[in-house]
Amino acid sequence: MIRLRYEPYELKLKHAFNLATSSRTSTPVMLVELEYEGVVGYGEASMPPYLGESHETVSRFLQKVDLSGFSDPLKMDDMLDYVDSIAPGNSAAKASVDIALHDLVGKLQGKSWHQIWGLDAKKTPFTTYTIGIDTREMIIQKTKEAAEFKFLKIKLGRDNDREIIETIRSVTDVPLCVDANQGWTDKQQALDMIFWLKEKGIVFIEQPMPKEQLDDMAWLTAHSPLPTIADEAFQRLYDISGLKDVYSGINIKLMKSTGMREAKLMVDAARSLDMKVMLGCMTETSCAVSAAAQLSPLVDWADLDGALLISNDIFEGMKVIDGKVTLNDLPGIGVRKL
Protein backbone atom coordinates (compact mmCIF):
# COMPACT_ATOMS: atom_id res chain seq x y z
CA MET A 1 0.00 0.00 0.00
CA ILE A 2 1.24 3.49 -0.86
CA ARG A 3 0.64 6.09 1.85
CA LEU A 4 0.45 9.85 1.18
CA ARG A 5 1.32 12.40 3.86
CA TYR A 6 1.66 16.17 3.60
CA GLU A 7 2.22 19.23 5.77
CA PRO A 8 2.38 22.99 5.09
CA TYR A 9 5.65 24.89 5.45
CA GLU A 10 6.67 28.52 4.95
CA LEU A 11 9.97 29.40 3.27
CA LYS A 12 11.76 32.46 4.61
CA LEU A 13 13.71 34.45 2.02
CA LYS A 14 17.17 35.83 2.80
CA HIS A 15 16.28 39.03 0.94
CA ALA A 16 12.97 40.48 -0.20
CA PHE A 17 12.15 39.07 -3.64
CA ASN A 18 11.27 42.07 -5.80
CA LEU A 19 9.86 41.63 -9.31
CA ALA A 20 8.46 44.03 -11.88
CA THR A 21 4.99 43.88 -10.35
CA SER A 22 5.36 42.39 -6.85
CA SER A 23 7.49 41.86 -3.76
CA ARG A 24 7.53 39.17 -1.06
CA THR A 25 9.65 37.89 1.84
CA SER A 26 8.27 34.34 2.09
CA THR A 27 6.80 31.56 -0.06
CA PRO A 28 4.31 28.89 1.08
CA VAL A 29 5.16 25.29 0.21
CA MET A 30 3.60 21.91 0.89
CA LEU A 31 5.94 19.09 1.87
CA VAL A 32 4.74 15.68 0.67
CA GLU A 33 5.77 12.11 1.44
CA LEU A 34 4.87 8.84 -0.28
CA GLU A 35 5.70 5.71 1.71
CA TYR A 36 5.81 2.16 0.39
CA GLU A 37 7.08 -0.82 2.40
CA GLY A 38 9.06 1.45 4.71
CA VAL A 39 10.68 3.48 1.90
CA VAL A 40 9.80 7.20 1.81
CA GLY A 41 9.87 9.48 -1.22
CA TYR A 42 9.88 13.25 -0.73
CA GLY A 43 8.04 15.84 -2.80
CA GLU A 44 7.17 19.51 -2.65
CA ALA A 45 4.68 22.03 -3.98
CA SER A 46 5.95 25.62 -4.09
CA MET A 47 3.30 28.31 -4.46
CA PRO A 48 4.49 31.74 -5.60
CA PRO A 49 1.55 34.13 -5.95
CA TYR A 50 1.26 34.09 -9.75
CA LEU A 51 0.48 30.36 -9.86
CA GLY A 52 -2.75 30.95 -7.94
CA GLU A 53 -2.17 28.04 -5.56
CA SER A 54 -2.04 28.16 -1.77
CA HIS A 55 -1.82 25.91 1.27
CA GLU A 56 -5.62 25.71 1.14
CA THR A 57 -5.91 24.77 -2.55
CA VAL A 58 -3.09 22.23 -2.37
CA SER A 59 -4.58 20.66 0.77
CA ARG A 60 -7.97 20.40 -0.93
CA PHE A 61 -6.39 18.75 -3.95
CA LEU A 62 -4.27 16.29 -1.97
CA GLN A 63 -7.30 15.30 0.12
CA LYS A 64 -8.83 14.01 -3.11
CA VAL A 65 -5.82 11.83 -3.96
CA ASP A 66 -6.79 8.21 -3.24
CA LEU A 67 -3.93 5.81 -3.95
CA SER A 68 -5.69 2.72 -2.59
CA GLY A 69 -6.14 1.46 -6.15
CA PHE A 70 -2.39 1.40 -6.78
CA SER A 71 -0.33 -1.42 -5.28
CA ASP A 72 2.82 -1.03 -7.40
CA PRO A 73 4.61 2.35 -7.38
CA LEU A 74 6.58 1.30 -10.46
CA LYS A 75 3.42 1.80 -12.51
CA MET A 76 4.18 5.51 -12.48
CA ASP A 77 2.31 6.55 -15.62
CA ASP A 78 -0.94 5.04 -14.38
CA MET A 79 -0.64 6.77 -11.03
CA LEU A 80 0.36 10.16 -12.46
CA ASP A 81 -2.36 10.01 -15.12
CA TYR A 82 -4.85 9.47 -12.30
CA VAL A 83 -3.47 12.37 -10.25
CA ASP A 84 -3.62 14.68 -13.27
CA SER A 85 -7.24 13.68 -13.91
CA ILE A 86 -8.51 14.58 -10.44
CA ALA A 87 -9.04 18.25 -11.26
CA PRO A 88 -7.80 20.80 -13.81
CA GLY A 89 -5.01 23.20 -12.84
CA ASN A 90 -3.33 22.54 -9.48
CA SER A 91 0.01 22.07 -11.25
CA ALA A 92 2.16 22.57 -8.14
CA ALA A 93 0.00 20.18 -6.10
CA LYS A 94 0.36 17.59 -8.86
CA ALA A 95 4.10 18.22 -9.01
CA SER A 96 4.45 17.43 -5.31
CA VAL A 97 3.07 13.92 -5.86
CA ASP A 98 5.10 13.44 -9.05
CA ILE A 99 8.35 14.41 -7.31
CA ALA A 100 7.65 12.19 -4.30
CA LEU A 101 6.83 9.27 -6.60
CA HIS A 102 10.02 9.73 -8.60
CA ASP A 103 12.01 9.87 -5.35
CA LEU A 104 10.29 6.73 -4.07
CA VAL A 105 10.78 4.75 -7.29
CA GLY A 106 14.40 5.81 -7.62
CA LYS A 107 15.04 4.64 -4.07
CA LEU A 108 13.30 1.32 -4.75
CA GLN A 109 15.55 0.87 -7.80
CA GLY A 110 18.67 2.11 -6.01
CA LYS A 111 19.44 4.74 -8.68
CA SER A 112 19.20 8.48 -9.10
CA TRP A 113 16.94 9.73 -11.88
CA HIS A 114 19.76 11.12 -13.98
CA GLN A 115 21.19 7.60 -13.92
CA ILE A 116 17.81 6.02 -14.76
CA TRP A 117 17.49 8.43 -17.69
CA GLY A 118 21.04 7.63 -18.80
CA LEU A 119 22.29 11.21 -18.41
CA ASP A 120 25.90 12.25 -17.86
CA ALA A 121 26.27 14.09 -14.54
CA LYS A 122 29.38 15.81 -15.89
CA LYS A 123 27.26 17.66 -18.47
CA THR A 124 25.33 19.78 -15.99
CA PRO A 125 25.30 23.54 -16.72
CA PHE A 126 26.24 26.47 -14.57
CA THR A 127 23.24 27.86 -12.75
CA THR A 128 22.31 31.50 -12.64
CA TYR A 129 21.88 33.26 -9.32
CA THR A 130 19.01 35.73 -9.16
CA ILE A 131 19.44 39.40 -8.32
CA GLY A 132 16.02 40.92 -7.65
CA ILE A 133 14.96 44.52 -8.16
CA ASP A 134 16.25 46.62 -5.26
CA THR A 135 18.10 49.75 -4.23
CA ARG A 136 21.52 50.41 -5.72
CA GLU A 137 23.17 49.56 -2.40
CA MET A 138 21.32 46.25 -2.04
CA ILE A 139 21.97 45.28 -5.66
CA ILE A 140 25.70 45.84 -5.11
CA GLN A 141 25.57 43.81 -1.90
CA LYS A 142 23.67 40.93 -3.52
CA THR A 143 26.03 40.90 -6.50
CA LYS A 144 29.07 40.72 -4.24
CA GLU A 145 27.44 37.90 -2.25
CA ALA A 146 27.08 36.00 -5.54
CA ALA A 147 30.79 36.17 -6.36
CA GLU A 148 31.13 32.37 -6.76
CA PHE A 149 28.53 32.29 -9.55
CA LYS A 150 29.62 32.41 -13.18
CA PHE A 151 26.21 33.53 -14.47
CA LEU A 152 23.69 35.95 -12.93
CA LYS A 153 19.98 36.42 -13.60
CA ILE A 154 18.80 40.02 -13.29
CA LYS A 155 15.17 40.95 -12.62
CA LEU A 156 14.05 43.96 -14.67
CA GLY A 157 10.76 45.41 -15.88
CA ARG A 158 10.47 48.77 -14.14
CA ASP A 159 11.60 52.24 -15.19
CA ASN A 160 15.20 51.96 -13.94
CA ASP A 161 16.33 48.88 -15.90
CA ARG A 162 19.44 50.48 -17.37
CA GLU A 163 20.51 51.80 -13.99
CA ILE A 164 20.23 48.29 -12.52
CA ILE A 165 22.42 46.79 -15.26
CA GLU A 166 24.98 49.59 -14.96
CA THR A 167 25.08 49.04 -11.20
CA ILE A 168 25.76 45.33 -11.61
CA ARG A 169 28.38 45.99 -14.27
CA SER A 170 30.18 48.25 -11.81
CA VAL A 171 30.72 45.15 -9.65
CA THR A 172 31.11 42.20 -12.03
CA ASP A 173 31.71 41.33 -15.69
CA VAL A 174 30.25 37.77 -15.59
CA PRO A 175 27.62 36.85 -18.21
CA LEU A 176 24.08 37.93 -17.35
CA CYS A 177 20.59 36.96 -18.39
CA VAL A 178 17.58 39.19 -17.87
CA ASP A 179 14.05 38.37 -16.71
CA ALA A 180 11.59 41.22 -17.28
CA ASN A 181 8.62 39.22 -15.90
CA GLN A 182 6.29 40.66 -18.58
CA GLY A 183 7.35 44.18 -17.63
CA TRP A 184 7.93 45.63 -21.14
CA THR A 185 4.77 46.45 -23.08
CA ASP A 186 6.05 48.32 -26.17
CA LYS A 187 7.78 46.08 -28.70
CA GLN A 188 10.01 48.78 -30.20
CA GLN A 189 11.17 49.97 -26.78
CA ALA A 190 11.76 46.34 -25.83
CA LEU A 191 13.87 45.80 -28.96
CA ASP A 192 15.89 48.94 -28.29
CA MET A 193 16.50 47.69 -24.76
CA ILE A 194 17.60 44.27 -25.97
CA PHE A 195 20.16 45.78 -28.37
CA TRP A 196 21.52 47.84 -25.48
CA LEU A 197 21.59 44.77 -23.22
CA LYS A 198 23.53 42.76 -25.80
CA GLU A 199 26.28 45.38 -25.59
CA LYS A 200 26.32 44.85 -21.81
CA GLY A 201 27.03 41.11 -22.04
CA ILE A 202 23.50 39.76 -21.62
CA VAL A 203 23.03 36.22 -22.98
CA PHE A 204 19.23 35.94 -23.30
CA ILE A 205 15.97 37.65 -22.31
CA GLU A 206 13.27 35.85 -20.35
CA GLN A 207 9.59 36.78 -20.71
CA PRO A 208 10.15 40.37 -21.89
CA MET A 209 6.52 41.17 -22.72
CA PRO A 210 3.06 40.28 -21.36
CA LYS A 211 2.13 36.73 -22.28
CA GLU A 212 -1.03 37.91 -24.06
CA GLN A 213 0.93 39.97 -26.62
CA LEU A 214 1.76 37.02 -28.89
CA ASP A 215 2.02 39.01 -32.13
CA ASP A 216 4.27 41.63 -30.55
CA MET A 217 6.36 38.88 -28.98
CA ALA A 218 6.77 37.06 -32.30
CA TRP A 219 7.90 40.33 -33.91
CA LEU A 220 10.34 40.94 -31.08
CA THR A 221 11.83 37.46 -31.34
CA ALA A 222 12.21 37.80 -35.11
CA HIS A 223 14.19 41.04 -34.70
CA SER A 224 16.00 40.37 -31.43
CA PRO A 225 19.78 39.90 -31.42
CA LEU A 226 19.36 37.72 -28.30
CA PRO A 227 17.27 34.59 -27.66
CA THR A 228 13.88 35.15 -26.01
CA ILE A 229 12.65 32.62 -23.44
CA ALA A 230 9.02 31.95 -22.49
CA ASP A 231 8.13 31.53 -18.83
CA GLU A 232 4.73 32.89 -17.76
CA ALA A 233 3.57 32.37 -21.36
CA PHE A 234 3.14 28.61 -20.92
CA GLN A 235 2.64 25.92 -18.31
CA ARG A 236 1.89 22.48 -19.73
CA LEU A 237 3.30 20.32 -22.50
CA TYR A 238 0.41 21.08 -24.87
CA ASP A 239 1.25 24.81 -24.73
CA ILE A 240 4.69 24.47 -26.30
CA SER A 241 3.81 23.92 -29.96
CA GLY A 242 2.04 27.30 -30.07
CA LEU A 243 5.21 29.09 -28.97
CA LYS A 244 7.40 28.13 -31.92
CA ASP A 245 8.50 31.33 -33.71
CA VAL A 246 7.02 33.37 -30.84
CA TYR A 247 9.95 32.67 -28.50
CA SER A 248 13.39 31.18 -29.07
CA GLY A 249 13.01 28.79 -26.15
CA ILE A 250 11.15 27.83 -22.98
CA ASN A 251 11.80 27.89 -19.25
CA ILE A 252 10.65 24.58 -17.75
CA LYS A 253 9.69 24.59 -14.07
CA LEU A 254 8.38 21.54 -12.23
CA MET A 255 5.68 23.60 -10.52
CA LYS A 256 4.26 24.48 -13.93
CA SER A 257 4.80 21.12 -15.66
CA THR A 258 3.15 19.02 -12.89
CA GLY A 259 6.52 17.45 -12.15
CA MET A 260 9.43 15.51 -13.55
CA ARG A 261 7.56 13.24 -15.96
CA GLU A 262 6.08 16.06 -18.02
CA ALA A 263 9.22 18.20 -17.69
CA LYS A 264 11.20 15.46 -19.44
CA LEU A 265 8.59 15.37 -22.22
CA MET A 266 8.81 19.17 -22.46
CA VAL A 267 12.55 18.96 -23.14
CA ASP A 268 11.92 16.47 -25.93
CA ALA A 269 9.11 18.60 -27.42
CA ALA A 270 11.18 21.79 -27.39
CA ARG A 271 14.13 20.06 -29.04
CA SER A 272 11.86 18.67 -31.76
CA LEU A 273 10.84 22.28 -32.51
CA ASP A 274 14.49 23.44 -32.50
CA MET A 275 13.89 25.59 -29.43
CA LYS A 276 16.30 26.39 -26.61
CA VAL A 277 15.64 24.93 -23.16
CA MET A 278 16.11 26.57 -19.80
CA LEU A 279 15.44 24.72 -16.54
CA GLY A 280 14.12 26.94 -13.77
CA CYS A 281 12.56 26.76 -10.34
CA MET A 282 10.46 28.71 -7.90
CA THR A 283 11.59 29.60 -4.40
CA GLU A 284 11.87 26.01 -3.18
CA THR A 285 13.70 23.76 -0.76
CA SER A 286 16.48 21.50 -2.01
CA CYS A 287 13.81 18.83 -2.49
CA ALA A 288 12.16 20.30 -5.58
CA VAL A 289 15.37 21.94 -6.84
CA SER A 290 17.23 18.61 -6.69
CA ALA A 291 14.36 16.94 -8.54
CA ALA A 292 14.63 19.48 -11.35
CA ALA A 293 18.41 19.15 -11.37
CA GLN A 294 18.09 15.51 -12.45
CA LEU A 295 17.15 16.89 -15.88
CA SER A 296 19.90 19.49 -16.02
CA PRO A 297 22.36 17.60 -18.29
CA LEU A 298 19.74 17.97 -21.06
CA VAL A 299 19.34 21.75 -21.06
CA ASP A 300 21.08 24.84 -22.40
CA TRP A 301 20.74 26.96 -19.26
CA ALA A 302 19.76 26.39 -15.64
CA ASP A 303 18.28 28.71 -13.05
CA LEU A 304 18.29 26.40 -10.03
CA ASP A 305 19.06 28.78 -7.20
CA GLY A 306 15.70 28.56 -5.41
CA ALA A 307 17.02 26.82 -2.30
CA LEU A 308 19.94 29.25 -2.06
CA LEU A 309 17.52 32.17 -1.65
CA ILE A 310 15.97 30.81 1.57
CA SER A 311 17.20 30.62 5.15
CA ASN A 312 15.25 27.55 6.36
CA ASP A 313 15.95 24.71 3.92
CA ILE A 314 15.14 21.34 5.53
CA PHE A 315 16.70 19.17 2.83
CA GLU A 316 20.23 18.56 1.61
CA GLY A 317 20.60 17.65 -2.03
CA MET A 318 22.02 19.03 -5.26
CA LYS A 319 24.94 21.40 -4.63
CA VAL A 320 26.13 24.43 -6.53
CA ILE A 321 29.92 24.21 -6.63
CA ASP A 322 31.84 27.06 -8.28
CA GLY A 323 28.56 28.08 -9.85
CA LYS A 324 27.91 24.66 -11.45
CA VAL A 325 24.95 22.35 -10.84
CA THR A 326 26.56 19.34 -9.16
CA LEU A 327 24.57 16.13 -8.86
CA ASN A 328 25.13 13.38 -6.32
CA ASP A 329 24.46 9.65 -6.71
CA LEU A 330 21.87 9.34 -3.94
CA PRO A 331 18.93 7.29 -5.23
CA GLY A 332 15.75 9.03 -6.33
CA ILE A 333 15.94 12.79 -6.57
CA GLY A 334 19.14 12.90 -4.53
CA VAL A 335 18.06 14.42 -1.21
CA ARG A 336 18.31 13.79 2.50
CA LYS A 337 15.89 15.32 4.99
CA LEU A 338 17.72 17.27 7.68
Side-chain angles (χ1 to χ4, degrees):
M1 182 176 178
I2 304 169
R3 291 183 174 85
L4 169 66
R5 297 186 292 269
Y6 52 92
E7 62 174 330
Y9 190 62
E10 194 81 19
L11 302 183
K12 305 300 182 185
L13 304 184
K14 294 176 182 177
H15 296 292
F17 198 65
N18 301 318
L19 308 178
T21 58
S22 65
S23 177
R24 67 179 191 273
T25 57
S26 64
T27 300
V29 301
M30 189 70 77
L31 304 176
V32 171
E33 295 182 358
L34 286 178
E35 183 175 353
Y36 176 77
E37 295 185 349
V39 180
V40 176
Y42 298 112
E44 176 181 4
S46 174
M47 296 159 279
Y50 86 90
L51 278 182
E53 294 182 72
S54 64
H55 282 147
E56 292 72 27
T57 64
V58 173
S59 292
R60 282 200 300 271
F61 181 86
L62 294 176
Q63 286 169 11
K64 299 175 185 176
V65 177
D66 178 5
L67 300 180
S68 61
F70 300 94
S71 59
D72 183 1
L74 296 182
K75 294 184 177 179
M76 298 177 70
D77 284 341
D78 291 345
M79 194 181 306
L80 294 176
D81 285 344
Y82 157 70
V83 171
D84 197 18
S85 73
I86 291 173
N90 295 278
S91 62
K94 294 172 181 177
S96 69
V97 180
D98 170 286
I99 294 167
L101 182 59
H102 278 80
D103 194 33
L104 174 63
V105 170
K107 287 173 176 173
L108 292 173
Q109 295 185 347
K111 293 182 178 180
S112 65
W113 271 93
H114 69 269
Q115 293 170 331
I116 293 171
W117 281 326
L119 305 181
D120 185 350
K122 299 186 184 68
K123 293 184 178 179
T124 56
F126 289 101
T127 179
T128 60
Y129 183 83
T130 301
I131 308 294
I133 296 171
D134 218 316
T135 63
R136 175 181 170 82
E137 292 72 25
M138 282 302 300
I139 288 172
I140 289 173
Q141 178 185 329
K142 290 177 183 179
T143 304
K144 289 180 176 178
E145 288 175 359
E148 71 171 290
F149 291 87
K150 308 297 191 289
F151 197 9
L152 298 179
K153 177 175 177 175
I154 315 304
K155 295 289 189 177
L156 298 182
R158 294 188 182 174
D159 57 4
N160 62 336
D161 289 347
R162 296 189 186 218
E163 179 186 347
I164 289 173
I165 296 298
E166 295 284 17
T167 298
I168 289 166
R169 279 290 176 243
S170 73
V171 181
T172 181
D173 60 359
V174 300
L176 309 175
C177 65
V178 158
D179 184 0
N181 286 113
Q182 309 183 81
W184 301 341
T185 57
D186 181 277
K187 65 181 182 181
Q188 186 60 58
Q189 290 180 2
L191 184 61
D192 292 344
M193 186 68 183
I194 292 173
F195 272 100
W196 182 83
L197 289 169
K198 186 176 188 295
E199 296 176 359
K200 297 297 178 179
I202 279 64
V203 177
F204 63 85
I205 313 293
E206 186 181 346
Q207 200 61 57
M209 304 190 73
K211 61 185 180 181
E212 300 84 6
Q213 294 181 220
L214 285 177
D215 290 344
D216 287 345
M217 194 60 236
W219 179 91
L220 184 63
T221 296
H223 293 83
S224 173
L226 296 175
T228 61
I229 306 299
D231 183 7
E232 288 92 340
F234 85 106
Q235 281 198 301
R236 300 294 302 268
L237 177 65
Y238 47 71
D239 296 323
I240 296 175
S241 61
L243 299 181
K244 181 174 172 54
D245 299 325
V246 180
Y247 295 86
S248 312
I250 59 171
N251 184 1
I252 297 171
K253 296 177 179 177
L254 299 190
M255 297 304 133
K256 297 191 302 181
S257 73
T258 70
M260 297 170 68
R261 177 180 70 155
E262 191 159 314
K264 176 69 164 58
L265 295 174
M266 284 180 166
V267 175
D268 297 339
R271 294 306 191 197
S272 73
L273 297 171
D274 197 28
M275 297 178 78
K276 295 287 188 180
V277 179
M278 178 182 180
L279 184 63
C281 63
M282 308 300 183
T283 311
E284 301 166 350
T285 73
S286 288
C287 175
V289 171
S290 297
Q294 301 299 315
L295 287 158
S296 64
L298 292 172
V299 306
D300 299 294
W301 303 296
D303 177 32
L304 296 178
D305 64 346
L308 303 177
L309 304 176
I310 64 173
S311 60
N312 58 339
D313 197 353
I314 56 170
F315 290 93
E316 181 180 48
M318 178 275 286
K319 301 289 187 185
V320 177
I321 300 177
D322 291 330
K324 184 178 172 67
V325 174
T326 306
L327 297 169
N328 58 51
D329 288 331
L330 291 174
I333 62 173
V335 297
R336 297 186 183 94
K337 195 167 185 180
L338 299 174

